[in-house]
Amino acid sequence: MPVEDTAPARDTAPASRDRQARLATFAVFFVQGLTFATLLTQVAALQRKHGLTDGELTILLLVVPVIAGAGSALAGVAASRWGSRLVLRLVQPLACAAVVLAGLASDVPMLVAANVLFGLGLGGVDAGMNMQGVAVEREYGRAVLTGFHALWSVAAVIGSVWASAAATLGLGLPVTFAIALVPAAAVAVLASIWLYRPEEEHRAAAVRDEAAGAARPAGVAWRPIIPLCLAMAFLYVGDSSVSNFGTVFMDKVLHASATVIPLALGAYQLTTFLVRVGGDFAVRRWGPAAIVRAGGAVATLGFIAIVAAPTVPLAIAGFALTGIGLSVVAPQSFSAAGRLDPAGTGVAIARVNMFNYVGFIVGAALVGGLADASGFRVAFAAPLVLAAAIILLARGFQPRRAEPATATTVVTP
């Protein structure tokens, strides 16, 4: 049975300024997806270049989400004061530059330094771009956030295909990274000009309050956000296992060629994109809770396929199926967090985004540790279990009215 759209209805079409901000936000998501995939598809190549063991690689990969969590927290504080536009204008070019520096790194300390810069940029951009996305969704008065994440996935697919092509051409890592990310940094700077200004982000929240006939709460309660945080963490345990170790799995377990190795992440991102294209329509039709529940079930099947795959094509199919399932969880987590923060402070979004990196940290440590002990097939069983847990958390995505976070407030889940 159809359900009502989860965003407040508007009586008028979006203004040209809102369309401008939406296009700018699309650009920011695109650059972030390209930056992320350009680096992550080369994890195996970086491991070989610097002679890292699987344990050393795991520690190196942990640097990024730990620093990204700090970057997200700093972005939340800065955005509440100066707006997310300024945050994005400063940190997105930093993230692009950090990837190029990772390619240029001649030793492990330089690679770690580049990863620290990348982590700061990654965390700041993840938080800021979703703040802009939620503001656009509020102004449009209907679910549109999944569309931004769809373009992120397109960019990630492009990054994966470029990695495959660069390997075929025999290009070095510095050239591979620079060709993709120097233009991307320029796009990020230009797009930041048309993002919402701080007063416009808050105006978007005020429009929603007025449409809902609700007064702004004094704060954001933690309890209704917890299911969103856990779902985000479990999602990113799965996502980090694919992003960080997908290429390594293809290399060490199935002995794929250098041209084929990046296609595992490419298949994951391609199906993620295809599902996200229609994700907003599906949310309007069946509601966020049902969509997240179905996504958890499909992701579980995908990880089963990866663990059991005897050949390269079947493994790629498993990665693709996993992308279908996990694709809807992140945008719906941010959208639900935005509904719990009608004042538009970005606090709820920053909190949920923090668990993005909790998931990455746990995913890198858990999968990497299990891989060292028992091999990558056993390691990929861990995100399988947590993907199944998302099914149980889906009820927390059902829309509800936000309540103030005061000492006397009792918030039901």
Side-chain angles (χ1 to χ4, degrees):
M1 181 177 179
V3 298
E4 293 184 2
D5 192 358
T6 56
R10 285 180 57 147
D11 296 329
T12 59
S16 59
R17 176 68 184 104
D18 299 324
R19 290 191 293 271
Q20 185 183 63
R22 188 182 186 187
L23 289 173
T25 305
F26 270 127
V28 170
F29 271 82
F30 182 90
V31 171
Q32 181 75 335
L34 182 65
T35 305
F36 182 82
T38 298
L39 179 61
L40 268 294
T41 51
Q42 300 292 351
V43 167
L46 288 168
Q47 183 181 24
R48 288 194 299 271
K49 176 181 177 180
H50 295 282
L52 302 173
T53 66
D54 289 340
E56 291 169 339
L57 176 64
T58 299
I59 294 172
L60 181 66
L61 291 173
L62 283 172
V63 170
V64 173
V66 169
I67 300 300
S72 179
L74 290 172
V77 173
S80 66
R81 183 170 183 179
W82 296 295
S84 58
R85 181 173 76 159
L86 179 61
V87 171
L88 290 167
R89 180 175 293 171
L90 294 175
V91 300
Q92 190 155 45
L94 173 67
C96 295
V99 175
V100 176
L101 290 175
L104 291 169
S106 59
D107 53 37
V108 173
M110 289 182 63
L111 182 61
V112 171
N115 275 12
V116 169
L117 290 177
F118 177 69
L120 286 171
L122 180 72
V125 176
D126 278 348
M129 72 185 188
N130 281 290
M131 291 175 193
Q132 286 285 325
V134 167
V136 171
E137 186 170 80
R138 284 169 169 163
E139 283 287 357
Y140 269 68
R142 63 178 185 271
V144 300
L145 192 60
T146 304
F148 294 125
H149 287 260
L151 193 62
W152 187 100
S153 299
V154 170
V157 171
I158 292 172
S160 299
V161 172
W162 167 239
S164 179
T168 301
L169 294 171
L171 299 180
L173 289 177
V175 176
T176 299
F177 290 162
I179 288 175
L181 296 182
V182 170
V187 170
V189 172
L190 289 173
S192 69
I193 298 172
W194 293 288
L195 294 170
Y196 280 134
R197 298 184 295 275
E199 62 273 17
E200 292 175 310
E201 286 186 80
H202 296 151
R203 179 175 60 82
V207 167
R208 183 189 178 197
D209 286 346
E210 183 180 353
R216 290 190 179 189
V220 179
W222 260 105
R223 190 173 178 182
I225 298 176
I226 289 174
L228 313 180
C229 294
L230 290 177
M232 180 70 85
F234 295 165
L235 150 68
Y236 276 103
V237 169
D239 187 83
S240 70
S241 68
V242 175
S243 301
N244 292 333
F245 298 106
T247 57
V248 181
F249 180 92
M250 296 291 288
D251 183 23
K252 294 193 171 184
V253 177
L254 298 176
H255 309 293
S257 68
T259 300
V260 173
I261 284 174
L263 299 183
L265 182 58
Y268 173 79
Q269 295 295 354
L270 176 62
T271 54
T272 296
F273 159 68
L274 292 175
V275 173
R276 284 175 172 174
V277 166
D280 289 323
F281 299 102
V283 170
R284 296 169 202 165
R285 176 69 171 80
W286 290 291
I291 295 302
V292 171
R293 187 175 296 112
V298 174
T300 302
L301 293 176
F303 279 115
I304 291 173
I306 293 170
V307 170
T311 64
V312 168
L314 290 177
I316 292 176
F319 284 110
L321 191 61
T322 302
I324 292 173
L326 295 181
S327 61
V328 297
V329 180
Q332 292 314 306
S333 296
F334 287 119
S335 184
R339 292 193 296 271
L340 294 170
D341 183 17
T345 63
V347 170
I349 294 171
R351 287 177 183 173
V352 170
N353 190 57
M354 287 284 292
F355 282 80
N356 168 346
Y357 310 115
V358 171
F360 256 90
I361 293 167
V362 173
L366 184 62
V367 176
L370 287 174
D372 266 347
S374 306
F376 278 99
R377 286 195 187 275
V378 173
F380 270 84
L384 186 162
V385 174
L386 294 179
I390 293 174
I391 302 170
L392 304 177
L393 295 168
R395 66 189 298 268
F397 288 73
Q398 195 63 34
R400 72 193 72 217
R401 183 181 296 275
E403 297 189 37
T406 63
T408 58
T409 298
V410 177
V411 184
T412 57

